[in-house]
């Protein structure tokens, strides 16, 4: 039997064959490979350079073009991020610059880079509510049916074309129904009403009835066939306070407080309930909301509402009260609150509400990674649209706010959605994550 020789690296207990010794100088292969990795890393750290692709560039259109270009992966290059986020740069665009980006997006689509082109158009539609009436026919010719929000401003001619196509296009029918829902004019409402009364032959091939597609666009058909909006407006962003703003920054005044622990506990898991938002009903974000208390308080168990919808009612003093209509979701009886982290005492002071409103669909495409937390506005659904039904009146509740939990906790994820039923003065909270 050939004698094995100990590896010469200090602390290594491996033994190797003489042939390996000749190749590696006495090191076992794992040690040799690890030493080569370490040497490579030392070389990278000693020779890595910073590259600022934005140096000397001030035009936001050119800055965005760079942002949308894939960066060459090179361990010797450390790219300097731009001083503003992509969202902030988009919001700074003038009307003329928005048109320039729109034209650039269509160029990318024509040259085969469909994903980048669509991304740019979605940013423009969500952040600036621009019209794509001119571009939509070409998008259809290119076979682009998603995201459906791109068709929000489609012309009458396109709408009528989609009415015809939905009857014959088995492949794209789901997308076409969503596109029609986003168009959502009186004729579309009438058509969905007709489909509800007389389901088309292809309705049996869908997972849900045609009229349910409207909820993805933020509206529904009422019992008498009218359009009813499913989210409140206007929309105000809830911003995370930056570290350099310091502890003495004026956050929200007395209009808003967030993430306050309650003295009451969840009847299911025993965890303290949390008031996600507590907002003065006189705030402009709630100008279209009819609420009988002086403040809109949306309270929940942040643990149990991640398993199912949690409803709250108002007591005689206008304070939130655990609803007798709550039904314990499957698995909630096995929850141990000790398995979940505790909110930092100052978690609520990490947020403030924006001074100005933003477009209603600003945060509707959550994958774009906009500032998602908001009061009012179309929800940024992580999964499918799920508006809970009020347990008292059996009406879909309206979305009134959402909170990005990734901005609350260091390793947090997912979105808490908040809803209200104004006639019944009830609130609800649900949760989604990718």
């Amino acid at each position: 039997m050939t004698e094995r020789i100990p590896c010469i690296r200090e602390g290594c207990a491996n033994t190797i064959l003489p042939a390996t010794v000749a190749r590696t100088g006495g090191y076992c292969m794992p040690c040799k490979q690890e030493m080569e990795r370490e040497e490579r890393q030392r070389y990278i750290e000693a020779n890595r350079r910073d590259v600022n692709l934005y140096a000397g560039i001030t035009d936001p259109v050119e800055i965005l073009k760079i942002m949308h270009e894939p960066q060459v992966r090179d361990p010797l290059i450390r790219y300097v991020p731009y001083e503003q986020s992509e969202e902030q740069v988009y919001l700074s665009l003038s009307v003329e610059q928005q048109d320039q980006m729109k034209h650039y997006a269509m160029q990318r689509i024509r040259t085969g880079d469909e994903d980048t082109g669509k991304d740019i158009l979605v940013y423009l539609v969500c952040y600036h509510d621009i019209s794509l009436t001119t571009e939509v026919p070409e998008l259809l010719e290119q076979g682009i049916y998603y995201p459906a929000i791109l068709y929000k401003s489609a012309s009458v001619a396109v709408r009528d074309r989609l009415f015809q196509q939905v009857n014959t296009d088995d492949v794209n029918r789901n997308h076409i129904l969503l596109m029609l829902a986003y168009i959502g004019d009186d004729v579309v409402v009438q058509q969905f009403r007709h489909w509800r009364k007389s389901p088309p032959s292809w309705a049996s091939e869908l997972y849900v009835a045609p009229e349910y597609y409207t909820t993805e666009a933020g509206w529904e058909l009422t019992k008498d066939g009218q359009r009813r909006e499913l989210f409140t407006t206007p929309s105000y962003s809830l911003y995370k306070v930056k570290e350099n703003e310091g502890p003495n920054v004026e956050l929200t005044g007395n209009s808003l407080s967030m993430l306050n622990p309650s003295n009451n506990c969840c009847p299911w898991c025993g965890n303290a309930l949390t008031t996600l938002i507590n907002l003065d009903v006189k705030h402009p974000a709630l100008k279209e909301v009819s609420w009988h208390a002086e403040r809109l308080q949306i309270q929940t168990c942040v643990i149990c509402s991640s398993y199912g919808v949690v409803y709250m009612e108002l007591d005689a003093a206008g304070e939130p009260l655990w609803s007798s209509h709550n039904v314990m979701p499957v698995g909630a009886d096995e929850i141990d609150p000790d398995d979940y982290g505790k909110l930092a005492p100052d978690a609520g002071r990490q947020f403030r509400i924006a001074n100005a409103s933003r477009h209603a669909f600003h945060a509707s495409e959550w994958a774009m990674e906009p500032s998602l937390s908001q009061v009012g506005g179309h929800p940024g659904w992580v999964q499918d649209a799920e508006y809970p039904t009020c347990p008292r009146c059996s009406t879909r509740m309206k979305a009134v706010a959402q909170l990005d939990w990734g901005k609350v906790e260091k390793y947090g994820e997912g979105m808490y959605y908040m809803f209200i039923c104004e006639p019944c003065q009830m609130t609800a909270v649900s949760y989604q994550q990718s």
Side-chain angles (χ1 to χ4, degrees):
M1 178 179 292
T2 303
E3 181 182 3
R4 298 181 66 88
I5 303 170
C7 173
I8 66 172
R9 193 178 191 191
E10 184 178 352
C12 181
N14 292 337
T15 59
I16 53 179
L17 296 171
T20 303
V21 172
R23 292 200 309 272
T24 66
Y27 297 97
C28 68
M29 288 307 298
C31 284
K32 179 69 173 176
Q33 292 167 352
E34 177 63 23
M35 292 166 62
E36 289 174 349
R37 284 194 294 269
E38 291 174 353
E39 182 180 359
R40 173 63 175 166
Q41 187 59 37
R42 287 192 295 270
Y43 177 82
I44 290 173
E45 292 175 358
N47 293 276
R48 182 183 288 156
R49 69 188 193 280
D50 290 338
V51 174
N52 187 353
L53 299 174
Y54 309 100
I57 300 176
T58 58
D59 182 355
V61 171
E62 297 305 316
I63 291 169
L64 287 171
K65 288 180 180 179
I66 295 172
M67 287 182 167
H68 283 291
E69 282 292 334
Q71 295 176 345
V72 177
R73 297 184 64 86
D74 187 334
L76 294 177
I77 295 177
R78 180 170 45 230
Y79 291 102
V80 178
Y82 189 63
E83 59 189 15
Q84 292 182 315
S85 68
E86 194 171 48
E87 177 185 19
Q88 290 173 317
V89 180
Y90 266 102
L91 291 173
S92 73
L93 296 176
S94 66
V95 174
E96 180 181 358
Q97 291 165 339
Q98 293 169 36
D99 286 338
Q100 292 175 26
M101 286 302 299
K102 185 166 58 173
H103 295 152
Y104 177 67
M106 296 307 295
Q107 289 175 8
R108 297 297 291 259
I109 290 173
R110 293 176 191 127
T111 55
D113 189 1
E114 179 181 305
D115 289 341
T116 299
K118 288 195 302 182
D119 287 347
I120 294 171
L121 293 177
V122 170
Y123 282 117
L124 293 171
V125 169
C126 292
Y127 293 162
H128 291 284
D129 198 28
I130 70 167
S131 170
L132 297 180
T133 304
T134 303
E135 291 73 28
V136 159
E138 184 174 350
L139 295 179
L140 277 177
E141 294 303 320
Q142 295 277 358
I144 295 175
Y145 294 87
Y146 181 85
I149 195 172
L150 297 176
Y151 290 82
K152 192 162 65 76
S153 57
S155 66
V156 170
V158 168
R159 178 201 68 196
D160 293 343
R161 170 181 170 178
L162 294 175
F163 279 148
Q164 297 297 322
Q165 188 174 346
V166 74
N167 291 314
T168 59
D169 192 341
D170 297 339
V171 175
N172 295 302
R173 182 171 290 123
N174 281 287
H175 293 312
I176 294 171
L177 288 169
L178 292 174
M179 291 154 67
L180 288 168
Y182 270 101
I183 294 172
D185 61 16
D186 291 342
V187 177
V188 169
V189 172
Q190 181 180 355
Q191 182 62 66
F192 275 105
R193 185 191 307 136
H194 174 73
W195 283 331
R196 182 171 68 180
K197 184 177 181 181
S198 302
S201 59
W202 42 260
S204 60
E205 301 172 11
L206 305 173
Y207 289 107
V208 295
E211 65 266 21
Y212 285 100
Y213 283 77
T214 66
T215 62
E216 293 289 339
W219 61 279
E220 69 168 350
L221 281 179
T222 61
K223 292 180 179 179
D224 59 356
Q226 302 302 309
R227 173 174 171 149
R228 174 177 177 260
E229 304 301 325
L230 289 175
F231 59 89
T232 64
T233 55
S235 172
Y236 281 78
S237 176
L238 296 170
Y239 282 103
K240 185 77 175 287
V241 176
K242 297 179 181 178
E243 293 183 3
N244 59 10
E245 289 180 290
N248 297 320
V249 67
E250 181 64 25
L251 298 183
T252 59
N254 295 319
S255 65
L256 173 75
S257 61
M258 295 182 62
L259 300 169
N260 295 319
S262 169
N263 293 326
N264 299 319
C265 293
C266 174
W268 296 337
C269 72
N271 187 55
L273 298 177
T274 301
T275 303
L276 297 180
I277 63 168
N278 182 335
L279 183 61
D280 190 330
V281 295
K282 295 179 182 178
H283 191 279
L286 301 178
K287 68 179 183 180
E288 296 181 1
V289 173
S290 176
W291 206 247
H292 298 167
E294 293 183 355
R295 303 185 71 85
L296 174 63
Q297 299 183 64
I298 300 187
Q299 195 173 98
T300 193
C301 172
V302 295
I303 297 175
C304 293
S305 56
S306 64
Y307 287 79
V309 179
V310 171
Y311 296 96
M312 303 292 287
E313 304 174 9
L314 291 184
D315 65 15
E319 296 294 316
L321 177 70
W322 184 268
S323 175
S324 60
H325 296 283
N326 280 319
V327 177
M328 182 183 292
V330 175
D333 56 340
E334 300 176 359
I335 295 173
D336 183 353
D338 292 336
D339 293 337
Y340 296 82
K342 300 293 184 181
L343 281 176
D346 63 343
R349 287 193 57 81
Q350 297 176 8
F351 291 88
R352 64 178 177 183
I353 194 164
N355 293 323
S357 63
R358 62 187 189 179
H359 291 293
F361 286 85
H362 183 109
S364 62
E365 298 293 320
W366 75 275
M368 292 165 37
E369 299 185 350
S371 49
L372 289 164
S373 300
Q374 63 182 14
V375 177
H378 187 283
W381 298 109
V382 177
Q383 301 169 19
D384 293 332
E386 293 182 2
Y387 294 88
T389 300
C390 175
R392 282 184 176 173
C393 67
S394 300
T395 301
R396 280 194 184 92
M397 304 177 78
K398 281 189 174 183
V400 70
Q402 64 185 30
L403 182 59
D404 179 5
W405 207 248
K407 299 295 184 182
V408 176
E409 295 183 332
K410 184 176 181 180
Y411 299 108
E413 61 177 334
M415 191 85 64
Y416 284 91
Y417 302 93
M418 293 164 260
F419 308 87
I420 56 172
C421 178
E422 294 162 284
C424 300
Q425 296 289 285
M426 292 192 67
T427 67
V429 174
S430 66
Y431 173 86
Q432 291 183 0
Q433 69 177 51
S434 58

